[in-house]
Structures are given as C-alpha cells and as structure tokens.
Amino acid sequence: MKSYTDKIKEIAKRLLKEDKVDMVIGYRKGTVPLMHQPFFATSEGEVDSFVWDSNCGLNLANYITDRKERIGIVATGCNSRNIAVHVVEGKIQRDQLYIIGVPCQGMVDRHKLAAMAEGNIASVEEDEDKGTITISGQGFSKSVDKAEVLQENCSICVHRNPVLYDELVADEVTEQTREQADPYARVREIEAMSPDDKWAYFDDLLSDCIRCYACRNACPLCYCPQCFVDESNPQWVGKSVDPTDIRTFHLLRAYHCAGRCTDCGACVRSCPVGINVRDFTKKLEKDCLELYGWEAGLNTEQRPPLDTYKPEDPEDFIK
Ligand code: SF4
Ligand code: SF4
Ligand code: SF4
C-alpha cells in the first residue's frame, strides 16, 4: 500500500519538522513476516522506516498510556476508538495527540496464512491492484485473495474509518452496514449451545493456552500497573496452566474489557497458538450494544456503561 505509506511518511515528516510533535508512532517492517512492529520515530530520518500494509494489526493505542510527550499516531478505525477510550479514561490528553487517520481495508490473519503455507513463510507480498497476498518460503509460493484471509474481526468490522483524527491519509472507505457484516453471528451460535456444549466449546478453545499473556500485553485496555494475575497478596488466581486458572484468567480479563473493547483483534494476532480470545469479548460487546445501545470508543465524552453509576439506575442489585 504504497500510497498510504507515502502519505504517512509525508505527514510524519511535516509534524516533526514543524515541531508539532515529539514523536510519531507508526509501524515498521517486523523481524518476522506478517507482524509489523510498532515504531517510534523521533526524527525526520527515522520516518523512512514507516510502512503500511495488511500486517499492521498490532494496536498502537497500547503505546500511549500515561505518556507526557506530544505524539503523532497512526490510527485505523479500531485503533482510533481505543485512543478515544484512553482519552475518556484519562490515560492521555486529546491535545497531546495528532492522529493520522487511516481508512482501513483490513488486516490479514497470520494464523490462516501459516496454515496454508507448506513450510516457514519467509516473505509476504501484497498486490493492491489485484487484491492478493502471496506468501513464499523454501520450495513454495502461494497467492490468495486477501478477502479469503482477512482476520475475522476485520471481515465483520463496521468502523473501518477512524472516528477520531486530525488528518486522513486517504479518502474514507465504504463501511459495511451491520446487516451486511452480521458481526454477532458467531456469538449467536455459541449462545444457542446447551450449557454442556458451551462448557466443552470453551474448554477446547482454551486447551492450548500457555498463559504467556501476549493477548493481555497486546491489548490497549490492559494498562493496570499491576494485573490481577500478577498479584500474590491477595492471590486472585493461581499461576499454573491448570484449566481452572486458565479459565479464571480469561473470564476476568474479558470482563475488564466489557464496554471498552473495540474488537481490534490485536489479542488474537499476538497469541502464539492462535486462540480466538475474542469469543469472550465479542459476547460482551453484543450485550453492551443490546442492553445499553453502547459501542466502545465512538466519542471522547461518554464513559462506558459498566463504569458509571446513577442513583436512579433501575437495577435493584446495585442498591
Ligand atoms: S477491525 Fe476494522 S479498523 Fe480495525 S484493523 Fe480490522 S478492518 Fe481495520
Ligand atoms: S480485548 Fe482484544 S480485541 Fe478487544 S481491545 Fe483488547 S486487544 Fe483489541
Ligand atoms: S496469548 Fe494465547 S497462549 Fe498466551 S495467554 Fe493469551 S490465549 Fe493464552
């Protein structure tokens, strides 16, 4: 996506040259294919490392928590919503930020591509005009339509355009309607299961979890100085990979994200064993929408529903 990359570089250079920001946070090519890295450019020369393509799936809002500098930041729809959540929660001031908005065309699923490869993937090429992704390695090369290998969260995304920005790198993309995207189809399937089937489903989902916490660390919502899983006094959850400890970690983390998660998919992209932890957060997102008419990060004024209390709230259990 050369045009996006060039425009990001142009804006970043201008912001640094005019001393409007102390740094610009974007992406540079990663050391492994399909995983571009966050990169902090503090000089015009460093800006040349920036890239933009379908491998920029880590969420840059993760890197602005409690920062005091003036920051330029590249933001897609979901990343901009996480920035809004940060502003609402007092983790950054809006006027510290210059948001370089990227109308987003979705990220590719590195786990799907790895499953298609006939060996280790050494390089990835994206053809913007044809809409294809080509992976290659020792003795193989394979091209697929990008639409076939989009991350699931991107294929059902209804907020591809940044909701908060100072400047866009391109014209807005066409958004899918909720009817077209049907974002809660998978949640409905799980809701329809019997309790025993649900138990078996989530047991299986988490069976490979090694508790590396990559999902937590990649999530911009998980900024507590001390996470409940790391506390030893009191110890809220055991440290083992016992299924009970694993379930406790995932359920509690999901509830901490309720009404705040933007379905950016960084947690799933970061998981080394490909666990779709969004099965938890997507259900909570659906509940927030249906019960409170709430979607996270659409403005910088309102706090999430589970974070507010009014004496006249109708729920008796609160009183
Ligand atoms: S969830 Fe939407 S905005 Fe975020 S990367 Fe995917 S398509 Fe882009
Ligand atoms: S829980 Fe996952 S999908 Fe939700 S904001 Fe955090 S990283 Fe993104
Ligand atoms: S990243 Fe994956 S393996 Fe690591 S704790 Fe999260 S779900 Fe478990």
Side-chain angles (χ1 to χ4, degrees), residues 3 8 45 61 116 127 130 139 170 195 201 216 223 233 262 265 267 275 280 303:
S3 56
I8 289 168
M116 287 175 175
D127 188 320
K130 291 188 192 153
Y201 178 83
R216 175 198 69 177
Y223 56 62
N233 188 17
T262 64
C267 45
I275 296 175
F280 295 104
R303 296 194 70 90

Side-chain angles (χ1 to χ4, degrees), residues 22 29 51 56 72 82 96 100 116-117 120 150 153 161 234 245 253 259 287 293 298 311 314:
D22 301 309
K29 204 166 161 33
V51 291
C56 296
N82 281 107
Q96 277 175 267
I100 305 170
M116 287 175 175
N120 288 333
L150 270 187
N153 62 310
N161 293 301
D245 290 339
R253 193 185 99 76
D287 286 353
L298 294 188

